[in-house]
Amino acid sequence: TLLYTIKFEAMTLPRVQSALVRPLRTLVQSRANSSKAVAPIVTSDSYRKSLLNVNPTEVTRLSNGMHVCSEYIDTPTATVGLWIDAGTRWENEQNNGVAHFLEHLVFKGTENRSQHELEIEVENMGAHLNAYTSREQTVYYAKCFAKDVDRSMDMLADILQNPRLEEGAIERERHVILREMQEVETNLQEVIFDHLHAVAFQGTPLSYNILGPTQNIKSINRADLLDYITKHYQPQQIYLAAAGGVDHAELVKLAEKHFGDMQTTHTHPFDYPPARYTGSYMKSRDDSMELAHVALAVEGCSWTNPDYFALMVANTLVGNWNKAQGGGKTLPSKFAREIHELGHPQSYMAFNTCYKDTGLWGLYGVCEPDHDAVRIFLGAVQAEWRRLYRSVSPGEVQRAKNLLKTLLLAQCDGTTAVCEDIGRQMLTYGRRISLAEIDARIEAVTPDVLRRVVGEFVYDKDPVLVGIGATEGLPDYTLTKIQQSSPVD
């Protein structure tokens, strides 16, 4: 019943010795400001060997099209989950919010287990069952003891294939989601990123809010949920990923046992609606708010774009900063040091959000309710972007590459993080990228490559600007667009 089995080297996290990474607190000002060459993060043979001396990610495709992917880690625990190639992007104006609504309901009981029975079973195993929905993915996963992987997969298969979707549960979750929406609206960082997507990808499903509009939450019914399951929960759109004390051959047998009967009702997967980026502007002024929240971005690249890692290095160069955490002259980012001296904003963070065919690359900041604070901050951001295009030094590029490698290594710590990495990479790349390949692609980013990529994606490109709160000082769009290519820094 198996069509093929292939192996990829895994992107596991080798144990990084303290000697490999210089603590930031030991950096001195002369080192931080230096534009001289900086050595790669490590040059020892042990580091290079550690990139290759990892367990492989094994991938098997079942006869119904589902993929089973796993990496063995010598630990008594495991994480197993379902990564589904479906999310908000596959919705329309009438059913926007249905993917997230369904995520809530699958834990409210199945044809074989009531909600109470499901909760008791999870608690008795000492396991953790969770789910989340994004614009392009839906994920259900369980963290458990390795000996309980079979039982965890049985639960995942049950909630995926046999959700009860009772009318009473639908009505209860409707109110839960409406309350969740109210809570989200108090998190201005989430709100501003929703607005950023809404204006940057206006007129396309990528602009939709994951939770959906209030009117849809009030109207979504059982038929809508079943229709979404039928169309998008297809075996060929699902990757079963696992990491931890799991034998791949045994995992494949369990996958056949629990998911082998899933039938493909669509011979061709649904095509996602293409994205369309629009440089644009949105301001929601409320002077009663204590701070101004602003986001400035340009169209980034997709996951699979060859320039992805160059944009990640540029993102790391811009860095992040928070006035409450300090750092000052010892910060690794030149821009963060400048912001520290400038005194504006309260905090900022650079971001690089990627999708199947597009992305958003930019910066989010929180400023004081001062007329000039927002204008000065955004001017400094665009000046830094222009500097990356014109005069970035080899030393700071190498420093950013070293930091990026460290951050990527730190993100793959534990079975859940590794399992998440497997599922996401299989959905986005169709394979697991090895740690050695990631290291090589980051190291291949030179100052010339960085300047070219910033020129292609950032310099003189139409930005999208969003502001919420005390935004009196938010510059108009025309000025913002001009400053994307100003000859003066």
Side-chain angles (χ1 to χ4, degrees):
T1 58
L2 307 182
L3 299 188
Y4 63 82
T5 300
I6 54 179
K7 292 186 178 182
F8 296 119
E9 287 189 36
M11 177 184 164
T12 54
L13 175 62
R15 183 167 299 181
V16 181
Q17 303 297 330
S18 59
L20 301 185
V21 184
R22 186 184 300 272
L24 291 180
R25 63 178 178 271
T26 65
L27 290 178
V28 295
Q29 183 61 33
S30 59
R31 174 80 180 200
N33 290 331
S34 173
S35 61
K36 297 180 181 179
V38 176
I41 188 169
V42 237
T43 56
S44 66
D45 288 339
S46 61
Y47 172 74
R48 287 191 289 267
K49 289 178 181 178
S50 71
L51 300 179
L52 300 172
N53 189 25
V54 293
N55 290 322
T57 297
E58 300 182 70
V59 181
T60 299
R61 185 177 186 271
L62 304 184
S63 57
N64 62 4
M66 177 182 283
H67 291 78
V68 181
C69 328
S70 73
E71 175 187 318
Y72 178 78
I73 303 173
D74 189 11
T75 175
T77 62
T79 300
V80 59
L82 303 168
W83 270 255
I84 306 173
D85 192 16
T88 308
R89 193 170 183 178
W90 282 260
E91 297 172 350
N92 54 51
E93 290 184 359
Q94 288 70 42
N95 72 354
N96 176 208
V98 67
H100 177 259
F101 205 127
L102 182 59
E103 172 214 316
H104 273 247
L105 278 171
V106 294
F107 295 123
K108 303 308 174 185
T110 71
E111 297 298 334
N112 303 309
R113 295 174 172 92
S114 67
Q115 179 180 348
H116 179 70
E117 290 171 338
L118 187 62
E119 292 171 351
I120 291 298
E121 187 171 356
V122 172
E123 290 178 4
N124 287 342
M125 285 196 301
H128 173 75
L129 190 62
N130 207 348
Y132 64 85
T133 305
S134 69
R135 286 180 167 82
E136 291 187 336
Q137 300 174 12
T138 302
V139 178
Y140 303 95
Y141 69 92
K143 184 175 178 62
C144 61
F145 288 110
K147 63 182 179 62
D148 293 326
V149 166
D150 186 6
R151 294 174 64 187
S152 296
M153 289 179 62
D154 182 59
M155 283 190 292
L156 290 171
D158 198 20
I159 64 176
L160 184 75
Q161 300 176 78
N162 309 303
R164 193 173 293 178
L165 304 181
E166 294 178 329
E167 293 295 341
I170 292 174
E171 291 305 316
R172 287 192 297 273
E173 288 308 303
R174 198 187 308 280
H175 294 292
V176 170
I177 295 172
L178 290 173
R179 288 196 301 272
E180 182 181 347
M181 293 176 69
Q182 294 175 345
E183 294 176 4
V184 168
E185 288 171 0
T186 65
N187 185 334
L188 291 180
Q189 180 176 325
E190 290 196 30
V191 170
I192 206 163
F193 275 95
D194 281 339
H195 286 313
L196 193 67
H197 281 80
V199 296
F201 301 112
Q202 54 191 277
T204 72
L206 206 51
S207 68
Y208 294 161
N209 185 305
I210 294 174
L211 272 64
T214 301
Q215 61 269 24
N216 282 13
I217 301 305
K218 292 180 177 180
S219 63
I220 287 175
N221 56 41
R222 191 173 191 273
D224 297 323
L225 298 166
L226 289 172
D227 180 67
Y228 188 85
I229 292 173
T230 302
K231 289 180 178 178
H232 299 290
Y233 282 20
Q234 297 291 306
Q236 71 271 19
Q237 293 175 256
I238 301 174
Y239 286 85
L240 190 154
V246 181
D247 176 74
H248 184 74
E250 182 63 25
L251 186 70
V252 171
K253 292 179 182 178
L254 294 176
E256 285 281 11
K257 171 184 173 183
H258 297 297
F259 298 96
D261 293 335
M262 284 190 71
Q263 299 298 317
T264 301
T265 58
H266 293 87
T267 55
H268 300 287
F270 280 84
D271 292 329
Y272 56 87
R276 183 183 64 250
Y277 174 85
T278 303
S280 46
Y281 178 95
M282 192 221 80
K283 177 169 75 171
S284 177
R285 180 177 173 181
D286 183 353
D287 290 340
S288 67
M289 295 176 62
E290 296 181 354
L291 298 167
H293 296 253
V294 296
L296 179 67
V298 293
E299 183 177 18
C301 69
S302 68
W303 288 107
T304 57
N305 191 298
D307 293 326
Y308 167 77
F309 284 100
L311 279 177
M312 284 297 294
V313 172
N315 182 74
T316 307
L317 271 168
V318 177
N320 59 79
W321 181 74
N322 190 313
K323 183 178 290 187
Q325 297 176 354
K329 296 180 179 181
T330 62
L331 291 166
S333 166
K334 182 177 184 295
F335 180 62
R337 297 195 298 271
E338 291 177 356
I339 290 297
H340 169 74
E341 296 295 331
L342 188 65
H344 301 300
Q346 293 280 338
S347 65
Y348 82 84
M349 70 170 189
F351 60 85
N352 183 29
T353 304
C354 296
Y355 297 105
K356 289 178 177 289
D357 57 345
T358 187
L360 285 173
W361 187 92
L363 188 143
Y364 161 73
V366 182
C367 294
E368 303 85 347
D370 179 278
H371 182 274
D372 292 328
V374 175
R375 177 183 57 80
I376 293 172
F377 170 58
L378 291 177
V381 171
Q382 292 183 290
E384 174 66 7
W385 289 358
R386 296 193 300 270
R387 188 189 71 83
L388 294 181
Y389 173 63
R390 293 170 179 160
S391 58
V392 64
S393 69
E396 60 183 325
V397 172
Q398 187 62 57
R399 189 176 295 112
K401 292 192 293 185
N402 292 348
L403 180 57
L404 178 59
K405 292 176 186 178
T406 305
L407 293 173
L408 291 178
L409 288 171
Q411 288 176 0
C412 281
D413 186 14
T415 62
T416 300
V418 173
C419 188
E420 161 73 25
D421 191 62
I422 294 172
R424 178 183 58 79
Q425 288 202 33
M426 292 303 298
L427 279 181
T428 53
Y429 298 110
R431 67 184 181 100
R432 183 88 183 283
I433 301 179
S434 70
L435 184 60
E437 180 181 344
I438 289 176
D439 182 86
R441 291 176 70 176
I442 292 174
E443 201 55 46
V445 179
T446 64
D448 288 339
V449 169
L450 191 70
R451 284 190 286 268
R452 174 188 63 79
V453 171
V454 172
E456 290 181 5
F457 287 92
V458 184
Y459 186 78
D460 199 24
K461 297 298 183 284
D462 292 338
V464 54
L465 177 61
V466 174
I468 298 174
T471 56
E472 180 183 2
L474 194 72
D476 63 39
Y477 186 78
T478 301
L479 177 61
T480 305
K481 174 65 175 75
I482 292 173
Q483 288 183 333
Q484 282 293 103
S485 57
S486 171
V488 180
D489 290 336

